PDB file of all heavy atoms in Angstrom:
ATOM      1  N   LEU V   1      -2.961 -28.989  -6.774  1.00 95.00           N
ATOM      2  CA  LEU V   1      -2.957 -29.615  -8.097  1.00 95.00           C
ATOM      3  C   LEU V   1      -3.141 -28.590  -9.212  1.00 95.00           C
ATOM      4  O   LEU V   1      -2.652 -28.784 -10.343  1.00 95.00           O
ATOM      5  CB  LEU V   1      -4.055 -30.679  -8.175  1.00 95.00           C
ATOM      6  CG  LEU V   1      -3.828 -31.932  -7.311  1.00 95.00           C
ATOM      7  CD1 LEU V   1      -5.088 -32.779  -7.249  1.00 95.00           C
ATOM      8  CD2 LEU V   1      -2.664 -32.755  -7.855  1.00 95.00           C
ATOM      9  N   LEU V   2      -3.816 -27.486  -8.913  1.00 95.00           N
ATOM     10  CA  LEU V   2      -4.034 -26.434  -9.916  1.00 95.00           C
ATOM     11  C   LEU V   2      -2.841 -25.485 -10.044  1.00 95.00           C
ATOM     12  O   LEU V   2      -2.611 -24.910 -11.117  1.00 95.00           O
ATOM     13  CB  LEU V   2      -5.278 -25.614  -9.551  1.00 95.00           C
ATOM     14  CG  LEU V   2      -6.643 -26.267  -9.781  1.00 95.00           C
ATOM     15  CD1 LEU V   2      -7.750 -25.408  -9.171  1.00 95.00           C
ATOM     16  CD2 LEU V   2      -6.897 -26.473 -11.272  1.00 95.00           C
ATOM     17  N   LEU V   3      -2.079 -25.304  -8.959  1.00 93.00           N
ATOM     18  CA  LEU V   3      -1.042 -24.273  -8.905  1.00 93.00           C
ATOM     19  C   LEU V   3      -0.042 -24.312 -10.062  1.00 93.00           C
ATOM     20  O   LEU V   3       0.266 -23.259 -10.637  1.00 93.00           O
ATOM     21  CB  LEU V   3      -0.300 -24.349  -7.558  1.00 93.00           C
ATOM     22  CG  LEU V   3       0.764 -23.272  -7.333  1.00 93.00           C
ATOM     23  CD1 LEU V   3       0.123 -21.890  -7.197  1.00 93.00           C
ATOM     24  CD2 LEU V   3       1.590 -23.582  -6.093  1.00 93.00           C
ATOM     25  N   PRO V   4       0.519 -25.471 -10.458  1.00 92.00           N
ATOM     26  CA  PRO V   4       1.542 -25.452 -11.527  1.00 92.00           C
ATOM     27  C   PRO V   4       1.034 -24.963 -12.875  1.00 92.00           C
ATOM     28  O   PRO V   4       1.839 -24.635 -13.759  1.00 92.00           O
ATOM     29  CB  PRO V   4       1.966 -26.932 -11.615  1.00 92.00           C
ATOM     30  CG  PRO V   4       1.555 -27.539 -10.315  1.00 92.00           C
ATOM     31  CD  PRO V   4       0.317 -26.815  -9.916  1.00 92.00           C
ATOM     32  N   TYR V   5      -0.289 -24.907 -13.072  1.00 93.00           N
ATOM     33  CA  TYR V   5      -0.848 -24.565 -14.381  1.00 93.00           C
ATOM     34  C   TYR V   5      -1.493 -23.179 -14.391  1.00 93.00           C
ATOM     35  O   TYR V   5      -2.078 -22.775 -15.401  1.00 93.00           O
ATOM     36  CB  TYR V   5      -1.886 -25.628 -14.780  1.00 93.00           C
ATOM     37  CG  TYR V   5      -1.346 -27.028 -14.659  1.00 93.00           C
ATOM     38  CD1 TYR V   5      -1.683 -27.836 -13.578  1.00 93.00           C
ATOM     39  CD2 TYR V   5      -0.462 -27.538 -15.613  1.00 93.00           C
ATOM     40  CE1 TYR V   5      -1.168 -29.112 -13.439  1.00 93.00           C
ATOM     41  CE2 TYR V   5       0.058 -28.815 -15.489  1.00 93.00           C
ATOM     42  CZ  TYR V   5      -0.300 -29.599 -14.401  1.00 93.00           C
ATOM     43  OH  TYR V   5       0.226 -30.865 -14.275  1.00 93.00           O
ATOM     44  N   ALA V   6      -1.371 -22.433 -13.293  1.00 94.00           N
ATOM     45  CA  ALA V   6      -2.028 -21.127 -13.177  1.00 94.00           C
ATOM     46  C   ALA V   6      -1.135 -20.010 -13.707  1.00 94.00           C
ATOM     47  O   ALA V   6       0.092 -20.145 -13.778  1.00 94.00           O
ATOM     48  CB  ALA V   6      -2.390 -20.870 -11.717  1.00 94.00           C
ATOM     49  N   ASP V   7      -1.768 -18.867 -14.072  1.00 93.00           N
ATOM     50  CA  ASP V   7      -1.004 -17.675 -14.432  1.00 93.00           C
ATOM     51  C   ASP V   7      -0.570 -16.955 -13.151  1.00 93.00           C
ATOM     52  O   ASP V   7      -0.834 -17.431 -12.037  1.00 93.00           O
ATOM     53  CB  ASP V   7      -1.817 -16.756 -15.342  1.00 93.00           C
ATOM     54  CG  ASP V   7      -3.126 -16.274 -14.701  1.00 93.00           C
ATOM     55  OD1 ASP V   7      -3.253 -16.344 -13.453  1.00 93.00           O
ATOM     56  OD2 ASP V   7      -4.021 -15.824 -15.448  1.00 93.00           O
ATOM     57  N   LEU V   8       0.097 -15.809 -13.300  1.00 94.00           N
ATOM     58  CA  LEU V   8       0.672 -15.140 -12.134  1.00 94.00           C
ATOM     59  C   LEU V   8      -0.403 -14.734 -11.121  1.00 94.00           C
ATOM     60  O   LEU V   8      -0.230 -14.940  -9.911  1.00 94.00           O
ATOM     61  CB  LEU V   8       1.467 -13.905 -12.574  1.00 94.00           C
ATOM     62  CG  LEU V   8       2.114 -13.086 -11.446  1.00 94.00           C
ATOM     63  CD1 LEU V   8       3.086 -13.934 -10.641  1.00 94.00           C
ATOM     64  CD2 LEU V   8       2.826 -11.861 -12.022  1.00 94.00           C
ATOM     65  N   LEU V   9      -1.513 -14.164 -11.599  1.00 94.00           N
ATOM     66  CA  LEU V   9      -2.574 -13.735 -10.689  1.00 94.00           C
ATOM     67  C   LEU V   9      -3.126 -14.917  -9.896  1.00 94.00           C
ATOM     68  O   LEU V   9      -3.221 -14.868  -8.664  1.00 94.00           O
ATOM     69  CB  LEU V   9      -3.703 -13.053 -11.470  1.00 94.00           C
ATOM     70  CG  LEU V   9      -4.956 -12.706 -10.656  1.00 94.00           C
ATOM     71  CD1 LEU V   9      -4.620 -11.706  -9.546  1.00 94.00           C
ATOM     72  CD2 LEU V   9      -6.060 -12.150 -11.569  1.00 94.00           C
ATOM     73  N   TRP V  10      -3.470 -15.984 -10.603  1.00 95.00           N
ATOM     74  CA  TRP V  10      -4.054 -17.143  -9.928  1.00 95.00           C
ATOM     75  C   TRP V  10      -3.029 -17.909  -9.117  1.00 95.00           C
ATOM     76  O   TRP V  10      -3.381 -18.564  -8.116  1.00 95.00           O
ATOM     77  CB  TRP V  10      -4.750 -18.057 -10.935  1.00 95.00           C
ATOM     78  CG  TRP V  10      -6.111 -17.533 -11.286  1.00 95.00           C
ATOM     79  CD1 TRP V  10      -6.484 -16.906 -12.435  1.00 95.00           C
ATOM     80  CD2 TRP V  10      -7.258 -17.555 -10.445  1.00 95.00           C
ATOM     81  NE1 TRP V  10      -7.806 -16.523 -12.378  1.00 95.00           N
ATOM     82  CE2 TRP V  10      -8.314 -16.922 -11.160  1.00 95.00           C
ATOM     83  CE3 TRP V  10      -7.515 -18.035  -9.160  1.00 95.00           C
ATOM     84  CZ2 TRP V  10      -9.582 -16.768 -10.620  1.00 95.00           C
ATOM     85  CZ3 TRP V  10      -8.790 -17.883  -8.625  1.00 95.00           C
ATOM     86  CH2 TRP V  10      -9.805 -17.263  -9.355  1.00 95.00           C
ATOM     87  N   THR V  11      -1.766 -17.835  -9.497  1.00 94.00           N
ATOM     88  CA  THR V  11      -0.712 -18.435  -8.670  1.00 94.00           C
ATOM     89  C   THR V  11      -0.674 -17.759  -7.302  1.00 94.00           C
ATOM     90  O   THR V  11      -0.584 -18.430  -6.263  1.00 94.00           O
ATOM     91  CB  THR V  11       0.660 -18.311  -9.353  1.00 94.00           C
ATOM     92  OG1 THR V  11       0.669 -19.093 -10.555  1.00 94.00           O
ATOM     93  CG2 THR V  11       1.782 -18.803  -8.439  1.00 94.00           C
ATOM     94  N   SER V  12      -0.755 -16.427  -7.290  1.00 94.00           N
ATOM     95  CA  SER V  12      -0.736 -15.700  -6.016  1.00 94.00           C
ATOM     96  C   SER V  12      -1.991 -15.996  -5.203  1.00 94.00           C
ATOM     97  O   SER V  12      -1.920 -16.187  -3.982  1.00 94.00           O
ATOM     98  CB  SER V  12      -0.601 -14.196  -6.253  1.00 94.00           C
ATOM     99  OG  SER V  12      -1.709 -13.690  -6.981  1.00 94.00           O
ATOM    100  N   VAL V  13      -3.153 -16.084  -5.871  1.00 95.00           N
ATOM    101  CA  VAL V  13      -4.408 -16.384  -5.167  1.00 95.00           C
ATOM    102  C   VAL V  13      -4.368 -17.796  -4.583  1.00 95.00           C
ATOM    103  O   VAL V  13      -4.701 -18.020  -3.406  1.00 95.00           O
ATOM    104  CB  VAL V  13      -5.620 -16.228  -6.109  1.00 95.00           C
ATOM    105  CG1 VAL V  13      -6.897 -16.750  -5.443  1.00 95.00           C
ATOM    106  CG2 VAL V  13      -5.794 -14.771  -6.515  1.00 95.00           C
ATOM    107  N   LEU V  14      -3.960 -18.756  -5.403  1.00 95.00           N
ATOM    108  CA  LEU V  14      -3.912 -20.150  -4.949  1.00 95.00           C
ATOM    109  C   LEU V  14      -2.900 -20.337  -3.819  1.00 95.00           C
ATOM    110  O   LEU V  14      -3.150 -21.101  -2.874  1.00 95.00           O
ATOM    111  CB  LEU V  14      -3.563 -21.074  -6.116  1.00 95.00           C
ATOM    112  CG  LEU V  14      -4.663 -21.270  -7.172  1.00 95.00           C
ATOM    113  CD1 LEU V  14      -4.115 -22.025  -8.376  1.00 95.00           C
ATOM    114  CD2 LEU V  14      -5.847 -22.019  -6.578  1.00 95.00           C
ATOM    115  N   SER V  15      -1.763 -19.648  -3.900  1.00 94.00           N
ATOM    116  CA  SER V  15      -0.757 -19.788  -2.849  1.00 94.00           C
ATOM    117  C   SER V  15      -1.277 -19.267  -1.513  1.00 94.00           C
ATOM    118  O   SER V  15      -0.971 -19.840  -0.455  1.00 94.00           O
ATOM    119  CB  SER V  15       0.540 -19.067  -3.239  1.00 94.00           C
ATOM    120  OG  SER V  15       0.360 -17.658  -3.259  1.00 94.00           O
ATOM    121  N   VAL V  16      -2.082 -18.203  -1.546  1.00 94.00           N
ATOM    122  CA  VAL V  16      -2.681 -17.674  -0.313  1.00 94.00           C
ATOM    123  C   VAL V  16      -3.679 -18.685   0.270  1.00 94.00           C
ATOM    124  O   VAL V  16      -3.685 -18.948   1.482  1.00 94.00           O
ATOM    125  CB  VAL V  16      -3.374 -16.317  -0.585  1.00 94.00           C
ATOM    126  CG1 VAL V  16      -4.253 -15.919   0.595  1.00 94.00           C
ATOM    127  CG2 VAL V  16      -2.322 -15.238  -0.837  1.00 94.00           C
ATOM    128  N   ILE V  17      -4.526 -19.266  -0.587  1.00 94.00           N
ATOM    129  CA  ILE V  17      -5.485 -20.277  -0.121  1.00 94.00           C
ATOM    130  C   ILE V  17      -4.757 -21.483   0.453  1.00 94.00           C
ATOM    131  O   ILE V  17      -5.093 -21.993   1.530  1.00 94.00           O
ATOM    132  CB  ILE V  17      -6.412 -20.712  -1.271  1.00 94.00           C
ATOM    133  CG1 ILE V  17      -7.264 -19.528  -1.741  1.00 94.00           C
ATOM    134  CG2 ILE V  17      -7.309 -21.878  -0.834  1.00 94.00           C
ATOM    135  CD1 ILE V  17      -8.059 -19.813  -3.006  1.00 94.00           C
ATOM    136  N   ILE V  18      -3.726 -21.943  -0.253  1.00 94.00           N
ATOM    137  CA  ILE V  18      -2.948 -23.095   0.201  1.00 94.00           C
ATOM    138  C   ILE V  18      -2.300 -22.807   1.552  1.00 94.00           C
ATOM    139  O   ILE V  18      -2.358 -23.623   2.479  1.00 94.00           O
ATOM    140  CB  ILE V  18      -1.874 -23.461  -0.851  1.00 94.00           C
ATOM    141  CG1 ILE V  18      -2.540 -24.051  -2.101  1.00 94.00           C
ATOM    142  CG2 ILE V  18      -0.857 -24.454  -0.271  1.00 94.00           C
ATOM    143  CD1 ILE V  18      -1.607 -24.145  -3.295  1.00 94.00           C
ATOM    144  N   GLY V  19      -1.685 -21.645   1.678  1.00 91.00           N
ATOM    145  CA  GLY V  19      -1.027 -21.286   2.931  1.00 91.00           C
ATOM    146  C   GLY V  19      -1.992 -21.232   4.096  1.00 91.00           C
ATOM    147  O   GLY V  19      -1.712 -21.756   5.180  1.00 91.00           O
ATOM    148  N   PHE V  20      -3.172 -20.632   3.876  1.00 90.00           N
ATOM    149  CA  PHE V  20      -4.168 -20.490   4.947  1.00 90.00           C
ATOM    150  C   PHE V  20      -4.701 -21.844   5.402  1.00 90.00           C
ATOM    151  O   PHE V  20      -4.758 -22.140   6.597  1.00 90.00           O
ATOM    152  CB  PHE V  20      -5.317 -19.606   4.465  1.00 90.00           C
ATOM    153  CG  PHE V  20      -6.359 -19.359   5.520  1.00 90.00           C
ATOM    154  CD1 PHE V  20      -6.213 -18.335   6.440  1.00 90.00           C
ATOM    155  CD2 PHE V  20      -7.489 -20.159   5.596  1.00 90.00           C
ATOM    156  CE1 PHE V  20      -7.161 -18.106   7.417  1.00 90.00           C
ATOM    157  CE2 PHE V  20      -8.452 -19.938   6.569  1.00 90.00           C
ATOM    158  CZ  PHE V  20      -8.288 -18.908   7.484  1.00 90.00           C
ATOM    159  N   VAL V  21      -5.095 -22.683   4.449  1.00 91.00           N
ATOM    160  CA  VAL V  21      -5.720 -23.964   4.796  1.00 91.00           C
ATOM    161  C   VAL V  21      -4.691 -24.934   5.362  1.00 91.00           C
ATOM    162  O   VAL V  21      -4.920 -25.575   6.398  1.00 91.00           O
ATOM    163  CB  VAL V  21      -6.419 -24.570   3.563  1.00 91.00           C
ATOM    164  CG1 VAL V  21      -6.996 -25.947   3.898  1.00 91.00           C
ATOM    165  CG2 VAL V  21      -7.527 -23.649   3.064  1.00 91.00           C
ATOM    166  N   LEU V  22      -3.544 -25.053   4.717  1.00 90.00           N
ATOM    167  CA  LEU V  22      -2.545 -26.034   5.130  1.00 90.00           C
ATOM    168  C   LEU V  22      -1.946 -25.718   6.493  1.00 90.00           C
ATOM    169  O   LEU V  22      -1.622 -26.620   7.272  1.00 90.00           O
ATOM    170  CB  LEU V  22      -1.442 -26.111   4.066  1.00 90.00           C
ATOM    171  CG  LEU V  22      -0.462 -27.283   4.130  1.00 90.00           C
ATOM    172  CD1 LEU V  22      -1.190 -28.617   4.057  1.00 90.00           C
ATOM    173  CD2 LEU V  22       0.560 -27.179   2.994  1.00 90.00           C
ATOM    174  N   ALA V  23      -1.819 -24.430   6.817  1.00 83.00           N
ATOM    175  CA  ALA V  23      -1.154 -24.024   8.058  1.00 83.00           C
ATOM    176  C   ALA V  23      -1.941 -24.402   9.305  1.00 83.00           C
ATOM    177  O   ALA V  23      -1.361 -24.550  10.381  1.00 83.00           O
ATOM    178  CB  ALA V  23      -0.902 -22.520   8.052  1.00 83.00           C
ATOM    179  N   SER V  24      -3.253 -24.551   9.181  1.00 81.00           N
ATOM    180  CA  SER V  24      -4.065 -24.820  10.368  1.00 81.00           C
ATOM    181  C   SER V  24      -3.793 -26.192  10.968  1.00 81.00           C
ATOM    182  O   SER V  24      -4.217 -26.471  12.094  1.00 81.00           O
ATOM    183  CB  SER V  24      -5.550 -24.682  10.021  1.00 81.00           C
ATOM    184  OG  SER V  24      -5.922 -25.615   9.022  1.00 81.00           O
ATOM    185  N   ALA V  25      -3.075 -27.057  10.241  1.00 83.00           N
ATOM    186  CA  ALA V  25      -2.873 -28.438  10.701  1.00 83.00           C
ATOM    187  C   ALA V  25      -1.894 -28.549  11.856  1.00 83.00           C
ATOM    188  O   ALA V  25      -2.107 -29.346  12.774  1.00 83.00           O
ATOM    189  CB  ALA V  25      -2.385 -29.304   9.537  1.00 83.00           C
ATOM    190  N   PHE V  26      -0.810 -27.775  11.855  1.00 81.00           N
ATOM    191  CA  PHE V  26       0.301 -28.091  12.743  1.00 81.00           C
ATOM    192  C   PHE V  26      -0.048 -27.927  14.223  1.00 81.00           C
ATOM    193  O   PHE V  26       0.303 -28.790  15.043  1.00 81.00           O
ATOM    194  CB  PHE V  26       1.542 -27.259  12.396  1.00 81.00           C
ATOM    195  CG  PHE V  26       2.765 -27.722  13.126  1.00 81.00           C
ATOM    196  CD1 PHE V  26       3.356 -28.930  12.817  1.00 81.00           C
ATOM    197  CD2 PHE V  26       3.327 -26.956  14.138  1.00 81.00           C
ATOM    198  CE1 PHE V  26       4.481 -29.375  13.494  1.00 81.00           C
ATOM    199  CE2 PHE V  26       4.442 -27.384  14.815  1.00 81.00           C
ATOM    200  CZ  PHE V  26       5.022 -28.599  14.494  1.00 81.00           C
ATOM    201  N   SER V  27      -0.713 -26.836  14.585  1.00 80.00           N
ATOM    202  CA  SER V  27      -1.097 -26.653  15.985  1.00 80.00           C
ATOM    203  C   SER V  27      -1.973 -27.810  16.454  1.00 80.00           C
ATOM    204  O   SER V  27      -1.816 -28.325  17.571  1.00 80.00           O
ATOM    205  CB  SER V  27      -1.840 -25.327  16.170  1.00 80.00           C
ATOM    206  OG  SER V  27      -0.996 -24.239  15.894  1.00 80.00           O
ATOM    207  N   ALA V  28      -2.921 -28.213  15.599  1.00 83.00           N
ATOM    208  CA  ALA V  28      -3.810 -29.327  15.941  1.00 83.00           C
ATOM    209  C   ALA V  28      -3.024 -30.622  16.106  1.00 83.00           C
ATOM    210  O   ALA V  28      -3.301 -31.416  17.012  1.00 83.00           O
ATOM    211  CB  ALA V  28      -4.889 -29.485  14.865  1.00 83.00           C
ATOM    212  N   ILE V  29      -2.028 -30.849  15.248  1.00 87.00           N
ATOM    213  CA  ILE V  29      -1.216 -32.067  15.330  1.00 87.00           C
ATOM    214  C   ILE V  29      -0.435 -32.101  16.637  1.00 87.00           C
ATOM    215  O   ILE V  29      -0.392 -33.131  17.334  1.00 87.00           O
ATOM    216  CB  ILE V  29      -0.276 -32.165  14.112  1.00 87.00           C
ATOM    217  CG1 ILE V  29      -1.067 -32.509  12.847  1.00 87.00           C
ATOM    218  CG2 ILE V  29       0.818 -33.207  14.350  1.00 87.00           C
ATOM    219  CD1 ILE V  29      -0.255 -32.457  11.571  1.00 87.00           C
ATOM    220  N   VAL V  30       0.198 -30.987  17.007  1.00 83.00           N
ATOM    221  CA  VAL V  30       1.017 -30.954  18.228  1.00 83.00           C
ATOM    222  C   VAL V  30       0.154 -31.179  19.468  1.00 83.00           C
ATOM    223  O   VAL V  30       0.495 -32.002  20.336  1.00 83.00           O
ATOM    224  CB  VAL V  30       1.781 -29.609  18.339  1.00 83.00           C
ATOM    225  CG1 VAL V  30       2.455 -29.490  19.699  1.00 83.00           C
ATOM    226  CG2 VAL V  30       2.825 -29.504  17.232  1.00 83.00           C
ATOM    227  N   VAL V  31      -0.975 -30.476  19.568  1.00 82.00           N
ATOM    228  CA  VAL V  31      -1.839 -30.625  20.740  1.00 82.00           C
ATOM    229  C   VAL V  31      -2.447 -32.035  20.789  1.00 82.00           C
ATOM    230  O   VAL V  31      -2.538 -32.649  21.858  1.00 82.00           O
ATOM    231  CB  VAL V  31      -2.951 -29.556  20.747  1.00 82.00           C
ATOM    232  CG1 VAL V  31      -3.904 -29.772  21.917  1.00 82.00           C
ATOM    233  CG2 VAL V  31      -2.332 -28.163  20.842  1.00 82.00           C
ATOM    234  N   TYR V  32      -2.857 -32.563  19.631  1.00 86.00           N
ATOM    235  CA  TYR V  32      -3.383 -33.933  19.554  1.00 86.00           C
ATOM    236  C   TYR V  32      -2.351 -34.914  20.108  1.00 86.00           C
ATOM    237  O   TYR V  32      -2.669 -35.777  20.935  1.00 86.00           O
ATOM    238  CB  TYR V  32      -3.706 -34.250  18.092  1.00 86.00           C
ATOM    239  CG  TYR V  32      -4.402 -35.577  17.838  1.00 86.00           C
ATOM    240  CD1 TYR V  32      -5.744 -35.618  17.515  1.00 86.00           C
ATOM    241  CD2 TYR V  32      -3.710 -36.774  17.890  1.00 86.00           C
ATOM    242  CE1 TYR V  32      -6.386 -36.820  17.256  1.00 86.00           C
ATOM    243  CE2 TYR V  32      -4.341 -37.983  17.641  1.00 86.00           C
ATOM    244  CZ  TYR V  32      -5.684 -37.994  17.320  1.00 86.00           C
ATOM    245  OH  TYR V  32      -6.308 -39.197  17.081  1.00 86.00           O
ATOM    246  N   ALA V  33      -1.101 -34.780  19.660  1.00 87.00           N
ATOM    247  CA  ALA V  33      -0.046 -35.690  20.112  1.00 87.00           C
ATOM    248  C   ALA V  33       0.247 -35.522  21.601  1.00 87.00           C
ATOM    249  O   ALA V  33       0.471 -36.505  22.316  1.00 87.00           O
ATOM    250  CB  ALA V  33       1.223 -35.461  19.293  1.00 87.00           C
ATOM    251  N   GLN V  34       0.254 -34.283  22.101  1.00 80.00           N
ATOM    252  CA  GLN V  34       0.509 -34.040  23.522  1.00 80.00           C
ATOM    253  C   GLN V  34      -0.585 -34.647  24.395  1.00 80.00           C
ATOM    254  O   GLN V  34      -0.320 -35.105  25.506  1.00 80.00           O
ATOM    255  CB  GLN V  34       0.644 -32.543  23.782  1.00 80.00           C
ATOM    256  CG  GLN V  34       1.937 -31.942  23.252  1.00 80.00           C
ATOM    257  CD  GLN V  34       2.008 -30.434  23.378  1.00 80.00           C
ATOM    258  OE1 GLN V  34       0.972 -29.755  23.464  1.00 80.00           O
ATOM    259  NE2 GLN V  34       3.203 -29.883  23.381  1.00 80.00           N
ATOM    260  N   GLU V  35      -1.815 -34.675  23.901  1.00 81.00           N
ATOM    261  CA  GLU V  35      -2.903 -35.268  24.668  1.00 81.00           C
ATOM    262  C   GLU V  35      -2.896 -36.790  24.577  1.00 81.00           C
ATOM    263  O   GLU V  35      -3.427 -37.467  25.457  1.00 81.00           O
ATOM    264  CB  GLU V  35      -4.241 -34.683  24.203  1.00 81.00           C
ATOM    265  CG  GLU V  35      -4.366 -33.209  24.591  1.00 81.00           C
ATOM    266  CD  GLU V  35      -5.613 -32.529  24.044  1.00 81.00           C
ATOM    267  OE1 GLU V  35      -6.264 -33.129  23.139  1.00 81.00           O
ATOM    268  OE2 GLU V  35      -5.937 -31.425  24.489  1.00 81.00           O
ATOM    269  N   LEU V  36      -2.295 -37.331  23.522  1.00 86.00           N
ATOM    270  CA  LEU V  36      -2.111 -38.782  23.446  1.00 86.00           C
ATOM    271  C   LEU V  36      -1.046 -39.264  24.424  1.00 86.00           C
ATOM    272  O   LEU V  36      -1.136 -40.373  24.948  1.00 86.00           O
ATOM    273  CB  LEU V  36      -1.708 -39.196  22.018  1.00 86.00           C
ATOM    274  CG  LEU V  36      -2.789 -39.177  20.939  1.00 86.00           C
ATOM    275  CD1 LEU V  36      -2.165 -39.505  19.588  1.00 86.00           C
ATOM    276  CD2 LEU V  36      -3.905 -40.168  21.256  1.00 86.00           C
ATOM    277  N   VAL V  37      -0.031 -38.420  24.662  1.00 83.00           N
ATOM    278  CA  VAL V  37       1.088 -38.797  25.535  1.00 83.00           C
ATOM    279  C   VAL V  37       1.265 -37.719  26.601  1.00 83.00           C
ATOM    280  O   VAL V  37       2.233 -36.948  26.568  1.00 83.00           O
ATOM    281  CB  VAL V  37       2.392 -38.984  24.732  1.00 83.00           C
ATOM    282  CG1 VAL V  37       3.454 -39.675  25.583  1.00 83.00           C
ATOM    283  CG2 VAL V  37       2.153 -39.783  23.456  1.00 83.00           C
ATOM    284  N   PRO V  38       0.358 -37.616  27.563  1.00 78.00           N
ATOM    285  CA  PRO V  38       0.461 -36.567  28.590  1.00 78.00           C
ATOM    286  C   PRO V  38       1.686 -36.769  29.469  1.00 78.00           C
ATOM    287  O   PRO V  38       2.164 -37.892  29.637  1.00 78.00           O
ATOM    288  CB  PRO V  38      -0.836 -36.736  29.396  1.00 78.00           C
ATOM    289  CG  PRO V  38      -1.234 -38.155  29.187  1.00 78.00           C
ATOM    290  CD  PRO V  38      -0.807 -38.497  27.787  1.00 78.00           C
ATOM    291  N   GLY V  39       2.201 -35.666  30.004  1.00 72.00           N
ATOM    292  CA  GLY V  39       3.381 -35.746  30.855  1.00 72.00           C
ATOM    293  C   GLY V  39       4.688 -35.675  30.096  1.00 72.00           C
ATOM    294  O   GLY V  39       5.767 -35.689  30.696  1.00 72.00           O
ATOM    295  N   ASN V  40       4.618 -35.608  28.763  1.00 76.00           N
ATOM    296  CA  ASN V  40       5.828 -35.512  27.930  1.00 76.00           C
ATOM    297  C   ASN V  40       5.679 -34.361  26.938  1.00 76.00           C
ATOM    298  O   ASN V  40       5.936 -34.519  25.740  1.00 76.00           O
ATOM    299  CB  ASN V  40       6.077 -36.829  27.187  1.00 76.00           C
ATOM    300  CG  ASN V  40       6.458 -37.955  28.113  1.00 76.00           C
ATOM    301  OD1 ASN V  40       7.612 -38.114  28.501  1.00 76.00           O
ATOM    302  ND2 ASN V  40       5.470 -38.756  28.500  1.00 76.00           N
ATOM    303  N   VAL V  41       5.248 -33.219  27.454  1.00 74.00           N
ATOM    304  CA  VAL V  41       4.943 -32.069  26.610  1.00 74.00           C
ATOM    305  C   VAL V  41       6.163 -31.632  25.803  1.00 74.00           C
ATOM    306  O   VAL V  41       6.095 -31.416  24.592  1.00 74.00           O
ATOM    307  CB  VAL V  41       4.424 -30.894  27.468  1.00 74.00           C
ATOM    308  CG1 VAL V  41       4.285 -29.632  26.627  1.00 74.00           C
ATOM    309  CG2 VAL V  41       3.098 -31.259  28.109  1.00 74.00           C
TER     310      VAL V  41
END
């Protein structure tokens, strides 16, 4: 929500924070789903 209103320095800082935090979801989502439906990896 802050990113569109930031200057160049803070845009780069916010993009790094966003990338780090948001990226952690996908591995957890895939493994969570595989454990919900075992045998269909």
Side-chain angles (χ1 to χ4, degrees):
L1 291 169
L2 286 171
L3 183 68
Y5 309 102
D7 60 19
L8 179 59
L9 173 62
W10 280 105
T11 294
S12 62
V13 171
L14 288 171
S15 68
V16 167
I17 296 171
I18 290 167
F20 182 85
V21 176
L22 193 58
S24 61
F26 190 70
S27 295
I29 288 173
V30 171
V31 176
Y32 186 106
Q34 288 174 337
E35 291 174 346
L36 286 175
V37 193
N40 292 277
V41 172

